[in-house]
Amino acid sequence: MIKCAIVVPCYNEEAVLPVTVEKLDGLLQDLIGKKKLTPDSFVIYVDDGSRDDTWKLIERFHDEKPLVDGLKLAGNVGHQNALLAGLLTVLDSGIDAAVSIDADLQDDIAVIEEMVDQFIGGTDIVYGVRSGRKTDTFFKRATAQGFYRVMHLMGAKSVYNHADFRLMSRRAIEALSEYKERNLFLRGIIPMIGFKTGCVYYERKERMAGESKYPVRKMMSFAFDGITSFSTKPMTFIMDIGLIMIVIALLAAIYSLHSYLVGDVVRGWTTLILSLWFIGGMLMFSLGLVGQYIGKIYLEVKERPRYIIEKRLTNE
Ligand code: UDP
Ligand code: MG
C-alpha cells in the first residue's frame, strides 16, 4: 500500500469541478478499497487564483468529503507553477507518490491504477501518453505535433504526446524541487531528472465542461517558452546565417571584382555590393556570437542541479 496524492490545478473551473471531485473521489475510494492506496491518500485541488467560485467549491467539498484537500494560491501563476506548488506541498504530507492531472479530466483517470501498479513495481516516473487525439480539433492536433517536432529539433527531451498527466515518486518530486528555474516547463525538466520511467496509454477525451484555459495566444507563448527555456539553438541559428552571408560576400566579391575588371559596371557598384554583404554577414555573425555568451549565462543562472542521486549504499 502506498500513500498517494492526486494534484489538480484549477483555474476558473467552477463548471467542471463538481464532476471532477465526484469522479476522483470514486476512483480514490476504489483504490483504497483494493488496498492499493492507504486510507489517508487524498486529492488536492490547487486554486490558481481563480476569479470565479472555484475556491468556494473546493472549501465546500473539503468540508463534505474526507479525501478532498485544497490549496489556494495568492494569485494566478499559471498551470505549471500551480502544479509545482501542489507537488511540493504534498511532500510535507509524507506521500510516497503523487499523480498530477488537469481539472477538466480530459485524461483518463482509469489508468491511474496502472500508474500506481508501475510505481509499486519500482518505477519512479510514469507518463500518461495519449494514444490518439481524435477529439482534439485538427488545429490543436497539428500545432501540438509541430510543437513536439520543433522541441525535438531544438534538442530538448520531451515525451511525445504526453501532457502533465503523470505519476511521480517522492524522490522524483524532491529532485524536481532542485530545479530552481522561474521559466517552468515541467514536460522538459522531468525527463532530465532520470530514474526509472514508464508510460501508460489512454485516449484523450473532450473537456467535460467549461472552456479551455489555453487560447491560441497562451498556447503560442507556452510553446515559445518551452523552446527558449531549454535551448539556445535559435542563437546558433543566427550565427549560422551570419556565416552563410559571409560566404555569399566572398562569392559576391569574386563576381563584382570580375565585373569591375571586365569594365561593364557603374562606378561605385562594386564597393557597395562588397561592403553590403560583408558588413551584413559580420553583423549577423557577431550578434550570434554575443548570443552564445548570453545563452551560456542564461543556462548558468538557472542553477539547475548537475546530478540527481538515485541511491546511496551505506553500512550505517
Ligand atoms: N490552469 C491553471 N492556471 C492557468 C491556466 C490553466 O491552473 O493559468 C489549469 C486548468 O484549470 C486545467 C489545466 O491547467 O486544470 C489545463 O488547462 P486547460 O484544460 O484549459 O488546457 P487545455 O487542455 O485546453 O490545453
Ligand atoms: Mg484541458
Side-chain angles (χ1 to χ4, degrees):
M1 272 210 287
I2 62 157
K3 178 166 178 176
C4 182
I6 299 181
V7 180
V8 190
C10 310
Y11 176 59
N12 296 342
E13 296 285 11
E14 60 178 10
V16 79
L17 210 56
V19 199
T20 304
V21 171
E22 211 49 58
K23 291 207 169 168
L24 286 177
D25 211 52
L27 176 89
L28 217 57
Q29 277 175 24
D30 180 44
L31 292 180
I32 292 171
K34 286 184 181 163
K35 301 247 179 285
K36 288 197 173 168
L37 300 186
T38 59
D40 58 351
S41 296
F42 59 94
V43 186
I44 182 168
Y45 296 90
V46 183
D47 175 23
D48 183 17
S50 300
R51 273 167 303 187
D52 64 0
D53 284 337
T54 300
W55 180 245
K56 273 193 198 133
L57 280 177
I58 296 174
E59 278 180 322
R60 207 183 79 210
F61 289 122
H62 172 68
D63 287 341
E64 289 170 3
K65 296 176 188 291
L67 299 177
V68 173
D69 271 21
L71 180 71
K72 184 173 165 49
L73 301 181
N76 181 248
V77 291
H79 181 198
Q80 302 288 296
N81 288 305
L83 196 55
L84 186 74
L87 290 173
L88 298 185
T89 304
V90 298
L91 278 184
D92 298 336
S93 313
I95 47 105
D96 300 304
V99 175
S100 54
I101 190 167
D102 287 353
D104 55 7
L105 296 196
Q106 280 186 289
D107 308 301
D108 189 1
I109 61 169
V111 300
I112 292 180
E113 181 169 356
E114 206 182 321
M115 288 179 167
V116 171
D117 288 341
Q118 286 202 23
F119 170 73
I120 293 171
T123 308
D124 277 273
I125 301 172
V126 188
Y127 298 104
V129 178
R130 300 166 193 160
S131 52
R133 273 178 171 272
K134 284 193 205 112
T135 59
D136 276 350
T137 58
F138 170 76
F139 178 73
K140 181 116 191 178
R141 207 160 48 212
T143 47
Q145 243 142 31
F147 170 65
Y148 288 111
R149 280 227 181 94
V150 174
M151 278 293 275
H152 193 76
L153 273 178
M154 295 286 171
K157 289 197 227 169
S158 69
V159 180
Y160 188 66
N161 261 345
H162 158 72
D164 286 301
F165 180 33
R166 71 179 86 77
L167 176 143
M168 292 177 82
S169 67
R170 178 178 190 84
R171 59 180 182 177
I173 301 173
E174 276 164 357
L176 176 66
S177 71
E178 298 286 324
Y179 290 78
K180 304 290 184 201
E181 53 209 82
R182 304 242 118 235
N183 269 302
L184 200 58
F185 188 70
L186 295 172
R187 270 173 247 180
I189 299 175
I190 290 169
M192 295 169 73
I193 296 177
F195 293 130
K196 190 171 176 221
T197 61
C199 292
V200 294
Y201 298 89
Y202 63 95
E203 283 282 333
R204 184 157 159 99
K205 294 188 225 136
E206 239 159 307
R207 196 172 228 288
M208 291 191 306
E211 272 162 22
S212 171
K213 308 295 178 285
Y214 273 104
V216 179
R217 193 176 50 83
K218 238 178 165 176
M219 222 165 72
M220 298 283 280
S221 87
F222 183 61
F224 188 73
D225 266 3
I227 291 162
T228 51
S229 308
F230 277 87
S231 156
T232 50
K233 284 228 171 114
M235 293 195 243
T236 315
F237 185 61
I238 294 180
M239 212 165 133
D240 291 346
I241 293 182
L243 263 180
I244 293 170
M245 281 177 76
I246 292 174
V247 172
I248 296 179
L250 286 179
L251 295 180
I254 295 168
Y255 174 66
S256 53
L257 280 178
H258 170 78
S259 310
Y260 177 73
L261 290 177
V262 174
D264 59 340
V265 299
V266 185
R267 274 182 69 88
W269 177 80
T270 316
T271 356
L272 215 63
I273 285 298
L274 272 181
S275 36
L276 193 76
W277 280 94
F278 189 68
I279 293 173
M282 286 305 275
L283 268 178
M284 284 294 254
F285 183 76
S286 31
L287 203 66
L289 191 67
V290 173
Q292 292 294 320
Y293 286 96
I294 296 179
K296 295 236 156 68
I297 297 171
Y298 174 59
L299 293 177
E300 287 296 331
V301 296
K302 277 181 189 285
E303 288 190 57
R304 282 180 179 167
R306 267 149 302 175
Y307 53 82
I308 306 285
I309 294 170
E310 170 159 355
K311 216 176 252 172
R312 189 171 71 108
L313 295 178
T314 163
N315 288 319
E316 267 174 11

